[in-house]
Structure formats: C-alpha cells, structure tokens
Amino acid sequence: KFLTVSRLGGTNDGKDVLVVRDCPGGVALYEVEVPVRTFRPAVLTNDGLMLVVMGHDKNRDYLYVFQSQTGVLVHKFPPRYQGAKKDQAGNLIAVPGKATQIAILDQDKGIVFDVRTKKHIRTIRRWTGQVTKDGRLGLHAPSRGGLELVNQMPLLPLMRMIFMIFC
C-alpha cells in the first residue's frame, strides 16, 4: 500500500485528498477528504493501525484519526496543550517505540499525544523531531551553534550534553 496526498481548493481554505492505493496494481483502496488551511503530511502510527492527519475545522486545528485499512474516521480531536497558538503546529511524526503516540512539532518543543485515548502525554522542550532508533535521545540545534542531546525518557532526569562543532 502507498499513500498519496493532494490539495484541492484555494490557499486559505481547501481540502487535502488522501488516496491509499494497492502497490502492485495501483487500484485505489479508499479516499479520504480532510479540510485544511495549510498542507501538512499525514502520519502512520508505529503499529500501522491508524492514519493521523492535521486538519482545520471551526476555526481551530484538529487531529483526524482514520483506520489505515479501511479509511473510516475513528475520531477527531483538538490538540490541547499549554502554550498552543493558532496555526503554529508544524510537522507530525510517529514516536519511536510507542504504538499509538504521535508528536506535533512546534518551533521550540515537541508535544506528544496518544491518538487512541486522545490525551496529551508530555511536552519535550527543545526537541526538533530527530530521535535515535530506541527513542531515548533526541537532537536540538540551538541558534548559538552546536548540538544538544536531549534525553526523552520521562522518568529519568533531563540530561543535556553539548557538543560544539568547530569548522
């Protein structure tokens, strides 16, 4: 299976059309329309059961959750977290090692949600979305230069290691 996303409508109001096709034949399995303001890619959860898309409805952002096999809308919910601003949410990524968790990446933090229970799990400050395979460490590139390793395990104290890159 493969997923294609295309945009219908104008620049400020439109719809994303998600089409899931069968790989050898190219036959369309299902098609889903989501109202959006700006184009954002869709994300498949790590367990492969849910397809998550950031949409826009009633003048706010919503997370639309679909079944990945049939395309049926499971639920939609507004991502509520402290410091949320209109149209500030960036990319969506699947959190490694967690079956139903996705992260919304703002400019300075990552906000982790469980799409099955529709709840905010945690906020990881200074995280830009890059993680190791096991999901323990993330990267942050501050504006002053260098790289920071950010520990993402919620039970362990936050440790940062600064590596300066000299050119």
Side-chain angles (χ1 to χ4, degrees):
K1 295 180 185 181
F2 65 93
L3 171 74
T4 58
V5 181
S6 59
R7 171 122 187 190
L8 297 176
T11 57
N12 287 335
D13 56 343
K15 292 186 178 190
D16 278 353
V17 178
L18 289 81
V19 180
V20 175
R21 298 182 181 272
D22 190 23
C23 197
V27 178
L29 299 176
Y30 62 87
E31 183 174 314
V32 174
E33 289 187 6
V34 178
V36 296
R37 276 191 131 168
T38 59
F39 178 77
R40 294 181 183 127
V43 173
L44 190 65
T45 57
N46 283 332
D47 60 0
L49 297 177
M50 295 183 213
L51 180 67
V52 182
V53 181
M54 180 73 83
H56 193 81
D57 192 21
K58 299 177 186 170
N59 205 18
R60 35 177 334 159
D61 287 333
Y62 281 87
L63 286 174
Y64 288 82
V65 181
F66 298 96
Q67 287 182 351
S68 64
Q69 286 84 13
T70 60
V72 175
L73 179 67
V74 177
H75 51 261
K76 73 175 184 177
F77 65 97
R80 292 190 177 115
Y81 57 94
Q82 187 176 11
K85 294 180 182 150
K86 185 178 178 183
D87 291 334
Q88 185 182 2
N91 291 335
L92 292 174
I93 63 165
V95 177
K98 305 294 182 182
T100 60
Q101 291 183 3
I102 56 114
I104 300 175
L105 301 176
D106 277 351
Q107 294 175 353
D108 57 344
K109 63 185 175 250
I111 301 97
V112 179
F113 285 94
D114 191 339
V115 294
R116 180 169 289 157
T117 60
K118 303 188 276 188
K119 291 189 179 182
H120 171 261
I121 302 297
R122 68 181 182 267
T123 299
I124 303 171
R125 301 212 182 275
R126 299 161 52 159
W127 179 47
T128 56
Q130 293 84 8
V131 292
T132 57
K133 271 188 176 179
D134 58 359
R136 289 181 171 219
L137 297 175
L139 282 179
H140 172 66
S143 60
R144 66 181 181 276
L147 283 177
E148 290 185 11
L149 281 175
V150 179
N151 189 0
Q152 297 189 10
M153 301 307 285
L155 300 176
L156 299 174
L158 186 67
M159 297 168 39
R160 293 183 199 115
M161 301 166 66
I162 301 174
F163 296 100
M164 298 303 292
I165 299 175
F166 296 102
C167 297

